């Protein structure tokens, strides 16, 4: 991913979603060849010269002041995640040795024990590429049997876009797909893009027209908290909130925990899933298959 090209495409996509009449601007010319604001209009709103804004959008330099970037962010009505994304793209990427960009120490056993101890809420751990590194029994019952998936394919972005079973779980699949694509894009701006990230983006782009379409929207998401509605084949529709917890010594790892409101039908559904998952695990032990 070329940061200068990414910066220009991001800014153009944000301009395209704004309308002059909504911002109190008079029409700039009789006809518009492209949707949204023209660069001249955006520069006017931001209080910067047209040439200065053009240099930003064209990525001629990655050394713009905080004040200019904040002014452009306000004019574009960027949310906090988008504003942070703009600041990262408009600055040189932090240096990172290419040969260690994808290296990660083995996951601590205590983290796996922590996940296993959460027995009333689906929880799983992902890295920056959305690779699923660890999970608990209830996450398997809710989403998919992660342990049955080859490690190289155990990735939430791949599952959301390419796995029909996981896709059908989400009542609003497109919102979930935008979230996972936005998470990938925002993270890619934090550092030089390692080969594994680019390989994942290239793979999804080559096999999924929907990924190409959503990726071209240049949405960014900071995975923190929210909710999804699942359509589970065993317990029906279930709405769960999620919280994302970053590991203090490795913010690239995110622990995602789903919960249900106390006394809600979703809580009952989770309890039923926990019973079902426990029965499946017991049968696996009896048959000698073990468990994940």
């Amino acid at each position: 991913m070329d940061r200068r090209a990414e910066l220009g495409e991001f800014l153009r996509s944000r301009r395209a979603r704004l309308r002059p009449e909504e911002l109190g601007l008079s029409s700039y010319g009789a006809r518009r060849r492209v949707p949204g604001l023209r660069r001249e209009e955006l520069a006017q709103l931001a209080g910067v010269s047209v040439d200065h804004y053009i240099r930003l959008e064209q990525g001629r330099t990655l050394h713009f002041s905080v004040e200019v970037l904040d002014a452009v962010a306000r004019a574009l009505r960027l949310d906090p995640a988008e504003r942070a994304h703009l600041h990262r793209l408009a600055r040189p990427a932090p240096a990172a040795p290419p040969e260690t960009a994808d290296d990660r120490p083995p996951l601590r056993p205590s983290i796996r024990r922590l996940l296993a101890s959460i027995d009333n809420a689906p929880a799983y751990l992902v890295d920056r590429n959305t690779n699923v590194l660890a999970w608990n029994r209830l996450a398997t019952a809710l989403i998919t049997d992660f342990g049955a998936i080859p490690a190289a394919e155990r990735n939430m972005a791949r599952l959301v876009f390419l796995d029909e079973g996981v896709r059908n779980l989400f009542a609003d699949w497109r919102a979930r797909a935008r979230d996972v694509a936005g998470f990938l894009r925002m993270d890619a701006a934090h550092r030089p893009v390692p080969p594994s990230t680019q390989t994942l983006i290239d793979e999804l782009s080559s096999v999924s027209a929907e990924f190409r379409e959503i990726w071209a929207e240049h949405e960014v998401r900071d995975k923190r908290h929210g909710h999804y509605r699942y359509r589970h084949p065993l317990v029906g529709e279930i709405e769960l909130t999620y919280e994302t917890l970053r590991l203090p010594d490795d913010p690239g790892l995110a622990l995602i925990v789903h919960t249900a409101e106390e006394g809600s039908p979703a809580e009952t559904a989770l309890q039923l899933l926990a019973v079902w998952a426990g029965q499946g695990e017991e049968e696996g032990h009896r048959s000698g298959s073990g468990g994940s």
Side-chain angles (χ1 to χ4, degrees):
M1 292 173 60
D2 182 280
R3 292 176 73 85
R4 296 173 191 271
E6 181 77 6
L7 173 61
E9 290 171 7
F10 175 69
L11 288 170
R12 285 189 289 273
S13 72
R14 301 307 90 174
R15 280 198 293 114
R17 68 183 183 181
L18 298 176
R19 297 292 178 269
E21 57 273 17
E22 297 172 352
L23 302 173
L25 295 174
S26 59
S27 179
Y28 197 95
R31 294 188 60 186
R32 289 177 178 268
R33 291 178 295 175
V34 294
L37 293 184
R38 292 189 172 97
R39 291 186 291 196
E40 296 85 351
E41 293 166 333
L42 194 284
Q44 176 186 339
L45 285 172
V48 301
S49 71
V50 175
D51 180 67
H52 204 57
Y53 177 75
I54 289 175
R55 283 192 283 119
L56 172 63
E57 191 170 290
Q58 292 180 347
R60 296 184 198 172
T61 177
L62 295 180
H63 295 281
F64 289 90
S65 70
V66 171
E67 291 76 17
V68 167
L69 296 178
D70 281 343
V72 170
R74 286 192 296 270
L76 289 171
R77 298 187 173 183
L78 302 186
D79 64 27
E82 292 171 326
R83 181 187 296 264
H85 187 63
L86 171 62
H87 277 265
R88 277 187 288 270
L89 289 177
R91 302 290 177 84
E99 66 276 10
T100 63
D102 286 328
D103 290 347
R104 178 179 298 285
L107 200 62
R108 295 194 302 275
S110 59
I111 296 175
R112 298 187 185 277
R113 291 196 298 270
L114 171 64
L115 274 164
S117 71
I118 304 174
D119 55 10
N120 60 353
Y124 59 92
L125 186 78
V126 297
D127 65 9
R128 292 186 185 277
N129 284 358
T130 74
N131 292 311
V132 181
L133 306 179
W135 57 92
N136 68 357
R137 185 177 62 188
L138 204 46
T140 293
L142 175 67
I143 302 173
T144 191
D145 186 356
F146 293 111
I149 301 171
E153 301 174 12
R154 199 180 295 146
N155 176 279
M156 283 305 298
R158 291 188 84 264
L159 291 170
V160 167
F161 280 97
L162 306 182
D163 186 286
E164 196 67 24
V166 172
R167 179 192 184 105
N168 291 336
L169 274 176
F170 296 97
D172 189 347
W173 173 85
R174 199 163 188 86
R176 182 66 178 96
R178 280 197 170 102
D179 279 354
V180 74
F183 178 65
L184 273 177
R185 183 180 290 282
M186 185 165 188
D187 183 74
H190 280 77
R191 64 215 160 102
V193 180
S196 60
T197 302
Q198 192 62 58
T199 297
L200 175 62
I201 294 169
D202 291 344
E203 177 194 2
L204 293 174
S205 298
S206 68
V207 298
S208 172
E210 288 164 315
F211 178 81
R212 292 195 298 272
E213 177 188 346
I214 290 172
W215 191 251
E217 294 173 357
H218 286 266
E219 295 293 332
V220 291
R221 299 280 193 275
D222 190 1
K223 183 174 278 298
R224 293 179 178 174
H225 55 81
H227 64 90
Y228 293 123
R229 278 191 302 122
Y230 292 89
R231 288 175 176 159
H232 197 277
L234 288 178
V235 297
E237 191 160 303
I238 173 173
E239 182 163 346
L240 301 175
T241 59
Y242 69 86
E243 295 287 341
T244 303
L245 310 174
R246 300 282 180 176
L247 271 64
D249 59 345
D250 191 344
L253 296 182
L255 176 63
I256 300 159
V257 183
H258 291 68
T259 60
E261 185 178 347
E262 186 176 356
S264 68
E267 183 184 47
T268 302
L270 277 186
Q271 291 169 349
L272 291 173
L273 273 180
V275 171
W276 174 75
Q279 291 173 344
E281 188 175 59
E282 289 176 5
E283 290 174 4
H285 283 304
R286 285 196 296 269
S287 67
S289 62
S292 59

